[in-house]
Amino acid sequence: MKRIYFDHSATTPVDEEVAKLMLEYMTEKFGNPSSIHSFGREVRKAIDEARGHVAALLGANPNEIFFTSGGTEADNLALKGVALANRKKGNHIITTAIEHHAILHTCEYLEKQGFTITYLPVDEHARVSVEDVRNAITDKTILISIMFANNEVGTIQPIKEIGEIAKEKGIYFHTDAVQAVGNCPINVKELNIDLLTLSGHKFHGPKGIGALYARRGVRLEALQQGGGQERTLRPGTENVPGIVGLGKAAEIAKRDMEKKIAHVEALKNKLIAGITEKISDIKLNGHPTLRMPGNVNFSFRYVEGESLLLNLDLKGIAASSGSACTSGSLDPSHVLLAMGLTHEVAHGSLRISLGRGNTEEDIDYCLTVLPEIIERLRSMSPLSGSSTMAESNPCSHCHKH
């Protein structure tokens, strides 16, 4: 059966160059980078080179890059690290209602520690207002944390403008750029970003490795204690294969950025146009133009996201949904609800995230299969006959009212 991977926002395949280099540092070059003999020194050199590649991808300095186990740890280190180190200056943090749970749950934790969090709303395109950010600032504000691009609907936030406000007010600005790094150009200096988090497996690096960019001069408190690795901010023997893999992935991403963006943008535009033409009662979620190059997110009325995913999977297409039924939650995506979608419409969402390995043939196959699935699911749905029923029973599978 044909198998097509349309879930690159969830994870990406490891690049062959990356995998080859990682294997070398698992088998031949296995020294501990803290050791002073030749085995340790060659590994320390490789870590320094990887740090340089990650810094170059962001327009940062190598000594501003700290390796972590991934985006979640980097988010925790950014938020908690700033909060704990600067609590004498203030206890107020600004974020948005559509952040990844790595941010939202960290903010909930900080609230229990006595910090005040402002969760800003977004518009129907999932974009935060620059004026809302400005108006939320108080004399107690120490940090603004707003994601670069949304992981579900792909909307890119007004990062440069928010960075300018934060700089003007003397407030740290953090962005969770896990979806964006390696997939669109970012220069932390030009965008006035003080802290940025990234994850290797979102751009053809390995899982279990990420990084925090922290501008020189940013006051951070370490969350764990140990040796002197990562200048004591993130102690523990380094994940050398992961770090060299991340460095190589960053090097490749910088090298191939323009070509990759042009490729996935063309596929995205073809897919959006095809779905719009072939299927009725739909809604494109996210900003029509200010969105990630490979992100396509639609809601289909009278269709359940989970059923849609299962039927696509049976046809060999892997995608994802804004419906969280499979994770044990009865509620649809917090992002779609924050954008103003009803439960019924949000439950019928489909995210297709394209990558460099996808082809026009993949898009053609999807545009053949998807309309047939939607038509069949709607013909079986008790929701499609009555809008009143649709509103009162938005998810027949979950029985969520």
Side-chain angles (χ1 to χ4, degrees):
M1 182 180 69
K2 193 175 182 72
R3 293 184 79 213
I4 296 173
Y5 188 74
F6 276 164
D7 204 12
H8 291 84
S9 290
T11 197
T12 56
V14 174
D15 187 280
E16 286 184 14
E17 286 183 65
V18 172
K20 184 180 176 184
L21 185 64
M22 289 178 68
L23 184 61
E24 194 179 318
Y25 282 86
M26 290 179 189
T27 54
E28 299 168 34
K29 301 175 179 178
F30 55 83
N32 187 319
S34 295
S35 301
I36 61 171
H37 49 60
S38 61
F39 288 83
R41 290 199 306 273
E42 72 177 345
V43 171
R44 171 57 56 196
K45 183 170 181 287
I47 288 177
D48 291 343
E49 287 176 2
R51 204 184 303 277
H53 287 310
V54 174
L57 182 61
L58 302 175
N61 299 318
N63 64 2
E64 297 173 314
I65 304 299
F66 299 87
F67 294 116
T68 68
S69 64
T72 294
E73 186 191 346
D75 280 340
N76 273 262
L77 182 54
L79 268 62
K80 293 176 185 173
V82 166
L84 296 174
N86 297 275
R87 67 190 314 165
K88 287 183 180 174
K89 288 176 63 180
N91 69 339
H92 181 230
I93 296 168
I94 298 169
T95 188
T96 77
I98 61 162
E99 299 295 312
H100 189 275
H101 284 120
I103 295 291
L104 295 177
H105 290 166
T106 302
C107 285
E108 287 171 17
Y109 168 84
L110 287 171
E111 282 183 293
K112 293 173 185 172
Q113 309 307 310
F115 290 87
T116 302
I117 315 291
T118 296
Y119 299 92
L120 295 176
V122 293
D123 64 17
E124 70 273 20
H125 299 309
R127 217 159 187 254
V128 71
S129 156
V130 175
E131 279 310 300
D132 281 356
V133 175
R134 186 187 291 278
N135 294 336
I137 294 171
T138 73
D139 58 358
K140 298 288 186 185
T141 307
I142 53 174
L143 177 67
I144 298 169
S145 178
I146 291 173
M147 64 185 357
F148 197 102
N150 185 261
N151 50 302
E152 292 190 32
V153 298
T155 298
I156 296 171
Q157 301 298 339
I159 296 298
K160 186 172 185 179
E161 294 89 335
I162 295 167
E164 286 170 356
I165 291 170
K167 186 176 182 181
E168 171 196 322
K169 300 286 187 180
I171 297 164
Y172 290 142
F173 176 41
H174 165 254
T175 185
D176 176 342
V178 164
Q179 286 296 323
V181 171
N183 297 303
C184 68
I186 295 176
N187 185 299
V188 290
K189 301 288 193 277
E190 290 177 5
L191 297 174
N192 296 305
I193 295 168
D194 297 307
L195 301 117
L196 174 147
T197 55
L198 63 92
S199 182
H201 76 104
K202 303 295 188 181
F203 57 101
H204 304 285
K207 297 174 182 64
I209 186 72
L212 172 67
Y213 155 77
R215 181 181 54 75
R216 190 175 177 186
V218 171
R219 293 185 62 224
L220 281 169
E221 188 167 311
L223 303 187
Q224 57 196 46
Q225 284 65 51
Q229 295 92 346
E230 298 303 293
R231 302 201 300 288
T232 73
L233 189 61
R234 205 280 185 174
T237 301
E238 296 92 340
N239 170 10
V240 178
I243 289 170
V244 297
L246 176 62
K248 177 56 76 172
E251 181 186 12
I252 293 167
K254 191 173 193 302
R255 180 190 76 198
D256 298 344
M257 181 81 69
E258 285 185 26
K259 187 172 83 172
K260 179 182 178 181
I261 290 174
H263 176 68
V264 295
E265 278 273 10
L267 296 181
K268 177 190 75 176
N269 292 338
K270 179 174 181 173
L271 183 59
I272 289 175
I275 290 174
T276 304
E277 179 191 336
K278 291 171 179 282
I279 305 172
S280 61
D281 272 332
I282 62 171
K283 180 185 185 302
L284 177 66
N285 297 317
H287 199 281
T289 55
L290 299 170
R291 66 190 300 138
M292 288 299 294
N295 179 283
V296 177
N297 189 307
F298 275 99
S299 286
F300 302 91
R301 279 186 79 88
Y302 319 123
V303 171
E304 220 174 86
E306 191 181 48
S307 300
L308 179 53
L309 284 188
L310 292 172
N311 276 271
L312 283 169
D313 196 40
L314 288 171
K315 293 289 188 179
I317 296 175
S320 68
S321 172
S323 168
C325 295
T326 49
S327 67
S329 167
L330 300 185
D331 290 319
S333 153
H334 69 287
V335 174
L336 299 179
L337 295 182
M339 292 163 58
L341 272 66
T342 64
H343 276 65
E344 178 247 324
V345 174
H347 265 301
S349 72
L350 173 71
R351 180 187 72 182
I352 290 175
S353 41
L354 306 166
R356 68 185 193 189
N358 290 130
T359 63
E360 284 210 36
E361 290 75 23
D362 294 344
I363 303 300
D364 291 337
Y365 179 69
C366 182
L367 290 174
T368 300
V369 168
L370 182 60
E372 294 171 357
I373 292 173
I374 296 290
E375 186 178 353
R376 188 169 70 254
L377 289 176
R378 282 177 174 169
S379 71
M380 297 187 298
S381 172
L383 308 180
S384 58
S386 163
S387 59
T388 307
M389 184 183 292
E391 292 300 328
S392 64
N393 185 14
C395 182
S396 58
H397 171 74
C398 295
H399 306 298
K400 175 70 180 174
H401 294 271

